[in-house]
Amino acid sequence: MASMQFDQHISQEFNDELEQVKTRMLEMGGSVLQQLQDSVRALEHADSSLADKVLEEEAEIDKMEMEIDEACTLLIARRQPAASDLRMVMAVSKAVCDLERIGDEAHRVAKMAINLSEEGTAPRGYVEIRHIANSVCAMLNKSLDAFARYDVDAALDTLAEDRQVDMDYKSALRELVTYMMEDPRSITRVMNIMWTLRALERAGDHSKNICEQVVYLVKGKDIRHGNLDEAQA
Amino acid sequence: MTSIATEQAGEMLISKTERTESQVVRDIEHGETVGEPLMEDAKMSVRNTDVFYGDKQAIFGVDLDIGKNQVIAMIGPSGCGKSTFLRCLNRMNDTVEGCRVSGELTLDGSDIYSKKMDVVALRARIGMVFQKPNPFPKSIYDNVAYGPRLHGLASRRGELDEIVENSLRRASLWDEVKDRLHSPGTGLSGGQQQRLCIARAIAVSPEVILMDEPCSALDPIATARIEELIAELRENYTIAIVTHSMQQAARVSQRTAYFHLGHLVEVNDTEKVFTSPEHELTEAYITGRFG
């Protein structure tokens, strides 16, 4: 698609600046994905030192967010981008915000990992966490990939996957509630599992937002808050 | 290594340029305007209009409606025909040797190129502001009073004073010049001179105002004043503006028309043109990919 060629401006510097904000956003996405995977692994293996690493590295993610946002602001001030360039800057700026929030969710999962590791491993609920975590990490990976390739179809497919994550989340909650009813002594621990699932489900929502930005970037259509069928039309 | 890389980069660049040019050629051959060039209840309508300078065709089959109390911006690279097109709208091209306009151009449904049309009266209904401020070498007062006098719009001195004051007020110039109405208009600053020209254009109560790059000779502050003025004038007048500043088009207009090599490529709501234009050429131009 011709309009997605960001390297053809008369100004080479403009090309570089646009390329750079996009590349840095994708780098940040890679780091966030790593954080999310590490936090889930820390939880599964009751590895509190890995969880500590996730907590420490969150500051790095925050720094990246601010730097990329500043680069976007400067780009708008200097270049007054229009059309696809403008959509690129806006999409990057919003995606960066979602990535930072996913970083926050990873932070939450890491904290739960520390809490749960102090209590010893609990077999119940971990299957659900692993399942949902795998889906969410795959979603994030695909949404970043769709952004990198300007692939609307991939973005729409990934959007659809969020429905499945939401359904899995709800059924996991139902199951966890029955655990709590069976054994009230497990409530604290099961609540931690629930918060973790909640954090993962939120991370899925943010990945979905990134996919919506991909559609906006490529097609110029704002599909937020609409239903998926409309977006696919 | 370096030379191979450079060569490859060079080749890539050539293929991209070729692709762009082939798009342009294709567009010229099958050029239909994308977007919404036509509208209901238009103030001016242009249909199937060609313009020639001698043997050279400058405008190719343009269809466009200009909406009432709207600002329409014409953008496009140099030589794309946007100024030529603007000048067709009040028959300014009549004064250009060898220039021939064909097609149907109407103002409120009446043909502006008809033999019965009084060109002087037409230009009173469709005023024009040029790129370079061009006040007459007369006083500020006489600059504004010139049109009303010519068209006999005022029967008494008091009435003329009123027209002059109103026009200068509407052009946001009154407060700056009210104490020196009889000093020469050429003594004003560039921005003030341009507002004087706008006051002169609106003194004869036109229905349409054509502006040909009205801010290109002005500093940002004077430009902002003129843009503010355009927004106010829109309530009472229909405005067509040619501008090289894309940001200006985005700020002041409701519709934007993109011209390329004499063809009208795209007409759409300004919002759409500057966020997601339909045509590749429009996109390429407004994002600075060529032009």
Side-chain angles (χ1 to χ4, degrees):
Chain A
M1 179 172 230
S3 62
M4 290 295 113
Q5 289 161 351
F6 292 97
D7 55 351
Q8 291 195 2
H9 296 92
I10 297 161
S11 160
Q12 182 60 43
E13 259 185 79
F14 190 8
N15 290 343
D16 295 345
E17 287 169 13
L18 273 174
E19 178 63 35
Q20 219 182 356
V21 288
K22 181 191 163 199
T23 309
R24 284 168 72 191
M25 187 279 283
L26 292 172
E27 279 168 9
M28 178 179 171
S31 305
V32 168
L33 179 60
Q34 186 64 51
Q35 289 275 88
L36 194 62
Q37 285 167 335
D38 283 351
S39 67
V40 174
R41 197 172 306 130
L43 188 106
E44 275 182 322
H45 300 288
D47 184 345
S48 58
S49 66
L50 185 57
D52 283 335
K53 182 173 156 265
V54 172
L55 298 185
E56 278 165 28
E57 283 175 5
E58 206 216 342
E60 196 56 39
I61 303 284
D62 293 348
K63 201 174 138 221
M64 281 172 144
E65 183 201 15
M66 295 207 292
E67 282 172 0
I68 298 170
D69 249 354
E70 196 190 344
C72 288
T73 308
L74 270 178
L75 211 152
I76 292 172
R78 278 200 199 121
R79 309 282 175 192
Q80 291 99 44
S84 56
D85 299 339
L86 178 61
R87 299 202 303 272
M88 171 61 106
V89 178
M90 296 311 291
V92 164
S93 172
K94 286 180 181 167
V96 160
C97 182
D98 278 309
L99 287 172
E100 192 273 335
R101 301 288 286 275
I102 297 175
D104 288 349
E105 302 302 345
H107 180 103
R108 237 164 245 147
V109 175
K111 271 187 166 169
M112 297 301 163
I114 292 170
N115 288 349
L116 288 165
S117 77
E118 282 165 1
E119 294 167 11
T121 51
R124 284 185 163 176
Y126 276 33
V127 179
E128 285 80 5
I129 288 185
R130 191 177 308 130
H131 176 65
I132 291 180
N134 281 344
S135 309
V136 169
C137 288
M139 268 184 77
L140 177 55
N141 199 2
K142 283 185 203 162
S143 64
L144 293 170
D145 213 43
F147 202 118
R149 296 164 200 265
Y150 313 124
D151 186 341
V152 172
D153 293 335
L156 289 173
D157 287 347
T158 313
L159 268 174
E161 285 173 27
D162 189 51
R163 278 182 181 170
Q164 189 57 48
V165 170
D166 289 350
M167 267 153 47
D168 291 347
Y169 170 65
K170 277 184 193 139
S171 72
L173 284 194
R174 274 198 298 275
E175 205 170 322
L176 290 172
V177 168
T178 60
Y179 291 159
M180 290 195 284
M181 279 154 56
E182 280 166 17
D183 180 8
R185 283 170 305 172
S186 72
I187 286 178
T188 318
R189 183 177 299 163
V190 176
M191 285 299 285
N192 274 335
I193 303 278
M194 278 182 154
W195 291 126
T196 307
L197 285 172
R198 167 84 183 142
L200 291 171
E201 189 267 337
R202 291 294 302 146
D205 288 345
H206 289 299
S207 307
K208 181 182 144 212
N209 293 350
I210 295 173
C211 292
E212 290 170 343
Q213 291 308 321
V214 175
V215 178
Y216 173 68
L217 166 62
V218 179
K219 297 244 180 172
K221 265 202 245 170
D222 191 345
I223 58 162
R224 290 174 302 172
H225 314 300
N227 71 42
L228 195 57
D229 308 326
E230 235 172 75
Q232 279 160 334
Chain B
M1 279 290 281
T2 321
S3 71
I4 292 170
T6 320
E7 237 169 68
Q8 280 176 345
E11 275 172 23
M12 274 168 64
L13 203 66
I14 288 166
S15 70
K16 276 172 190 165
T17 317
E18 277 173 357
R19 196 165 51 236
T20 309
E21 279 179 5
S22 69
Q23 281 166 6
V24 174
V25 171
R26 194 186 60 206
D27 190 66
I28 285 165
E29 285 169 354
H30 313 283
E32 269 198 14
T33 306
V34 301
E36 293 172 5
L38 308 185
M39 61 192 297
E40 279 176 24
D41 204 19
K43 181 73 186 166
M44 293 189 80
S45 286
V46 177
R47 292 289 180 276
N48 199 19
T49 293
D50 297 324
V51 180
F52 296 84
Y53 289 118
D55 296 337
K56 195 179 165 294
Q57 189 166 1
I59 301 274
F60 298 80
V62 167
D63 291 324
L64 178 66
D65 283 340
I66 298 175
K68 200 170 187 318
N69 293 5
Q70 263 197 347
V71 181
I72 183 167
M74 326 268 177
I75 59 169
S78 296
C80 70
K82 54 192 190 300
S83 288
T84 299
F85 179 76
L86 192 76
R87 296 162 66 91
C88 291
L89 297 176
N90 70 345
R91 294 187 56 176
M92 287 298 279
N93 284 333
D94 289 11
T95 59
V96 179
E97 187 98 5
C99 180
R100 189 156 54 79
V101 180
S102 67
E104 193 185 315
L105 294 92
T106 59
L107 172 65
D108 286 334
S110 56
D111 180 8
I112 61 175
Y113 278 82
S114 104
K115 290 209 175 86
K116 283 180 273 173
M117 181 60 74
D118 174 357
V119 178
V120 176
L122 175 73
R123 290 187 194 140
R125 290 176 72 191
I126 309 176
M128 192 154 189
V129 176
F130 298 87
Q131 180 174 6
K132 241 182 107 197
N134 55 350
F136 301 135
K138 292 168 178 281
S139 72
I140 294 168
Y141 184 96
D142 286 338
N143 260 283
V144 184
Y146 184 85
R149 275 188 191 131
L150 184 73
H151 295 285
L153 296 181
S155 51
R156 291 176 295 107
R157 175 79 194 188
E159 233 173 290
L160 194 60
D161 287 349
E162 211 172 288
I163 293 175
V164 169
E165 180 175 339
N166 274 338
S167 307
L168 286 169
R169 276 192 194 281
R170 275 197 236 162
S172 326
L173 191 61
W174 176 252
D175 289 336
E176 290 160 62
V177 300
K178 62 183 176 202
D179 300 324
R180 46 172 172 152
L181 286 176
H182 296 285
S183 47
T186 45
L188 297 171
S189 74
Q192 288 172 329
Q193 285 188 20
Q194 193 63 304
R195 276 181 283 150
L196 179 61
C197 293
I198 293 174
R200 188 176 64 191
I202 59 187
V204 291
S205 306
E207 296 155 48
V208 181
I209 303 174
L210 309 177
M211 297 184 170
D212 193 356
E213 297 181 46
C215 300
S216 57
L218 304 182
D219 73 7
I221 294 167
T223 300
R225 287 229 171 84
I226 302 275
E227 287 179 5
E228 177 73 18
L229 182 56
I230 291 172
E232 282 166 24
L233 292 175
R234 178 163 66 86
E235 290 174 17
N236 300 307
Y237 307 96
T238 297
I239 298 173
I241 179 171
V242 163
T243 175
H244 270 302
S245 158
M246 246 91 68
Q247 278 72 41
Q248 181 168 65
R251 284 190 298 262
V252 304
S253 70
Q254 283 73 54
R255 285 167 84 222
T256 297
Y258 174 64
F259 285 80
H260 191 100
L261 298 176
H263 293 260
L264 180 55
V265 174
E266 174 166 353
V267 184
N268 258 317
D269 286 345
T270 299
E271 273 173 37
K272 179 160 174 58
V273 170
F274 286 92
T275 55
S276 53
E278 270 179 57
H279 203 286
E280 292 173 80
L281 287 171
T282 318
E283 169 102 24
Y285 179 69
I286 64 165
T287 57
R289 283 173 169 86
F290 75 83

